[in-house]
Amino acid sequence: MHLQFILFMINLILFGPPGSGKGTQAERLKEHFNLLHISTGDLLRAEIANGTQLGLEAKKFMDAGNLVPDAVVIGMLGGAVEEAKTKGKQGIIFDGFPRTTAQAEALDNMLMEKGTSVSCVLSLVVDEEELTQRILKRGLTSGRSDDNDVETIRKRVQEYRTKTEPVAGYYNNQDLLIEIAGVGTIEHIFNALMQAVNNVASNHSDN
Ligand code: AP5
Ligand code: MG
């Protein structure tokens, strides 16, 4: 049972700039494939809401649209594989993680130690104008401190371009990167993502 779980674990990374639809699509993919959803942004916002020391530290970075330091984020994910197992999940969907090459290397090591690996990286492609419009619209109701101000949104996109985009190259070198157009209806994008994961899963089971 334990061995079987490890062999068939599906570990997905939803990759893309702020506002590209990672959270929206992760909600659907986790239901469809029975995955544990890990959003580092949501975990950090929960720390802030609970007033923890980690949350206080992270808030300064998040409010300014900067990435939180690697060590803080990596430290939050140590128990992910065990949690997925305990909850009877087929695998994990990472949303907003990894965002730097150091985080990607830490994730590879963490999964390898548990006898598993990243199945594929689904990269949502959306242009900058659309991202800004989506985030500003959500900012009307989200209560997120980083959603309301155009300068902060620009900073988030800039952090993505300089620190996170190189992570796509890291996974492309491992032949794990799949680009999906992130514009159109949520349903249409979900279908494209689902098909991509099914292709990866069937290639895996053929081997
Ligand atoms: P995080 O919470 O991860 O935010 P983000 O990456 O900036 O992305 P968003 O959550 O804003 O967008 P999303 O891609 O999830 O899109 P969504 O589905 O919501 O990170 C926040 C901060 O935390 C970071 O800036 C950083 O400080 C810190 N942090 C988090 N992880 C970190 C890490 N690993 N390392 C370091 N720091 C970290 O959609 C956006 C909107 O568009 C929604 O309103 C949605 O309804 C709408 N929408 C979705 N799909 C469509 C569509 N197809 N058409 C039209 N609208 C759509
Ligand atoms: Mg999100």
Side-chain angles (χ1 to χ4, degrees), residues 67-116:
L67 291 187
V68 173
D70 287 334
V72 174
V73 180
I74 292 166
M76 294 194 304
L77 296 185
V81 175
E82 293 307 322
E83 188 183 341
K85 263 195 268 187
T86 309
K87 293 184 172 166
K89 301 292 180 188
Q90 179 75 45
I92 303 172
I93 183 161
F94 294 96
D95 155 9
F97 179 88
R99 268 171 139 104
T100 63
T101 307
Q103 290 180 21
E105 287 167 352
L107 178 64
D108 272 353
N109 289 334
M110 182 186 97
L111 294 176
M112 198 168 60
E113 274 171 21
K114 304 285 178 189
T116 185

Side-chain angles (χ1 to χ4, degrees), residues 16-25 39-42 44-45 58 61-62 65-70 73 95-99 103 130 134-135 138 144 146-147 156 182-186 189:
S20 57
K22 301 183 294 295
T24 304
Q25 298 296 339
S39 156
T40 42
D42 289 348
L44 289 165
R45 282 184 287 276
F61 295 96
M62 293 168 77
N66 292 316
L67 291 187
V68 173
D70 287 334
V73 180
D95 155 9
F97 179 88
R99 268 171 139 104
Q103 290 180 21
E130 168 81 9
R134 284 186 191 178
I135 294 174
R138 184 182 57 190
R144 272 178 61 168
D146 56 350
D147 270 356
R156 285 163 65 190
V183 282
T185 67
I186 289 169
I189 299 164

